[in-house]
Amino acid sequence: MAVKNIQYKTKQISEYFTTNRIKWGQFYPSEKWIFEKVAGTDGKMGKILDVGCAAGGLGLALRERFFVSQYVGVDINAPAIEEAQKRKVKKNCPSQFICGDILDIHQLPAEKFDNVFSLSCADWNKATEDIISECWKYVRVGGHFILTLRLTPQKSLLTLSESFQYIYFGKGAPEKKQGIEKAPYIVLNASHAFSLLSGLQPKPDRIMAYGYWGAPSRTARTKYDRLVFTALAVRKSDHNLKDVSCELHLPADLFIRG
Ligand SMILES: C[S@@+](CC[C@H](N)C(=O)[O-])C[C@H]1O[C@@H](n2cnc3c(N)ncnc32)[C@H](O)[C@@H]1O
């Protein structure tokens, strides 16, 4: 039976993402590197689908820097989508927001988006692999799937019982607060991640990645004390190449099991 994703109800997401990750300068160096690579010298981002868009900050940040012809955001958290809708009206930004689990949304056209994003989304819910395949479905031939993943040379951590994050962005210990929701804090073994991405159908022809070691989030409870925070772009091929080429800027010890 398919794994059911968690439908987050908390207002923590909308409160945090209304002011955070809404400007270019608030994104990580790994993400900015990948965005620049994908946009290329003409700076075109085209039609964007942002899966797990929260309050839609990515759309604003990308518009500071690139030409965006359409921005569609999907999020499972209703308060985040309400916030995104309010801001859309205030800023008069052409965009569309949909509330729901990306696995249950059926109104969007397949293979029509130039760039599909999952920034901290696929690895922040239960059905990580299904979310990845679903995002891939929306990428046009020749377009990119841009995602972030937490990588390790050790074993993947795939369930909430092994690894989770309190959805809490305030001060103090989340354990002491009432009603704080938890999200799976999925960590992928590097080979597992690359075999998953290179095995997507239809096949990609190129994967670019940029990542570096860092400590897990303060609110995460996970067994590794360091992870490689990685931004990746996977390109959908227009021909059936056998090999997937890679451009990787990753620490070499990510591939050496300790
Ligand atoms: C950690 S937040 C990241 C927000 C934003 N992408 C960013 O990087 O700034 C993850 C978001 O993904 C959303 N999300 C998680 N699972 C989802 C799903 N299956 N479908 C749609 N949204 C989902 C959450 O509600 C949350 O807003």
Side-chain angles (χ1 to χ4, degrees):
M1 212 177 73
V3 181
K4 192 91 190 110
N5 279 319
I6 305 168
Q7 195 195 337
Y8 304 119
K9 302 245 165 48
T10 177
K11 289 205 164 152
Q12 288 280 332
I13 296 173
S14 57
E15 283 166 14
Y16 181 78
F17 289 103
T18 298
T19 52
N20 290 280
R21 292 171 64 76
I22 59 170
K23 294 185 184 143
W24 177 256
Q26 294 173 321
F27 282 74
Y28 294 111
S30 52
E31 296 171 319
K32 290 195 270 193
W33 187 89
I34 283 288
F35 300 166
E36 301 267 16
K37 277 280 193 185
V38 165
T41 46
D42 61 1
K44 284 194 180 151
M45 275 283 174
K47 290 186 183 179
I48 291 179
L49 172 62
D50 185 9
V51 178
C53 64
L58 177 69
L60 302 177
L62 292 178
R63 280 190 165 115
E64 269 181 44
R65 199 97 183 171
F66 307 112
F67 177 71
V68 175
S69 58
Q70 187 187 359
Y71 174 82
V72 179
V74 175
D75 205 287
I76 204 166
N77 178 255
I81 290 295
E82 272 165 39
E83 205 47 59
Q85 299 280 23
K86 271 193 231 157
R87 190 158 51 194
K88 172 181 151 182
V89 175
K90 227 175 11 193
K91 296 225 169 207
N92 192 20
C93 258
S95 35
Q96 182 192 349
F97 292 101
I98 302 167
C99 185
D101 184 337
I102 187 62
L103 301 184
D104 299 334
I105 298 265
H106 302 295
Q107 68 259 52
L108 293 173
E111 299 211 316
K112 286 283 181 276
F113 290 91
D114 298 296
N115 291 298
V116 177
F117 290 77
S118 154
L119 302 182
S120 303
C121 175
D123 57 355
W124 218 60
N125 216 325
K126 290 186 168 180
T128 299
E129 295 198 10
D130 292 344
I131 296 175
I132 288 175
S133 318
E134 192 66 11
C135 288
W136 187 242
K137 184 179 101 180
Y138 292 108
V139 179
R140 73 160 169 82
V141 170
H144 289 92
F145 173 34
I146 297 145
L147 74 163
T148 57
L149 293 174
R150 294 176 278 270
L151 302 180
T152 177
Q154 313 298 334
K155 199 171 102 14
S156 296
L157 304 177
L158 299 172
T159 60
L160 190 140
S161 57
E162 289 175 293
S163 182
F164 68 88
Q165 179 169 20
Y166 287 106
I167 309 182
Y168 178 66
F169 300 98
K171 291 196 178 113
E175 284 87 347
K176 301 212 170 118
K177 311 279 172 193
Q178 293 282 311
I180 300 297
E181 291 176 21
K182 291 176 185 173
Y185 191 74
I186 304 298
V187 176
L188 293 182
N189 166 271
S191 309
H192 176 182
F194 282 97
S195 99
L196 183 69
L197 296 176
S198 53
L200 286 167
Q201 288 300 327
K203 236 173 139 45
D205 64 355
R206 184 180 70 177
I207 301 178
M208 296 186 284
Y210 187 105
Y212 31 76
W213 288 107
S217 159
R218 182 183 69 80
T219 49
R221 302 292 175 263
T222 190
K223 75 177 185 195
Y224 303 131
D225 57 7
R226 56 181 209 145
L227 302 167
V228 175
F229 292 90
T230 309
L232 306 103
V234 187
R235 188 172 64 188
K236 196 177 262 191
S237 175
D238 55 357
H239 43 275
N240 229 349
L241 275 184
K242 242 170 73 209
D243 294 321
V244 183
S245 73
C246 284
E247 180 182 340
L248 307 182
H249 297 262
L250 295 168
D253 55 354
L254 173 61
F255 299 96
I256 305 165
R257 208 165 189 149

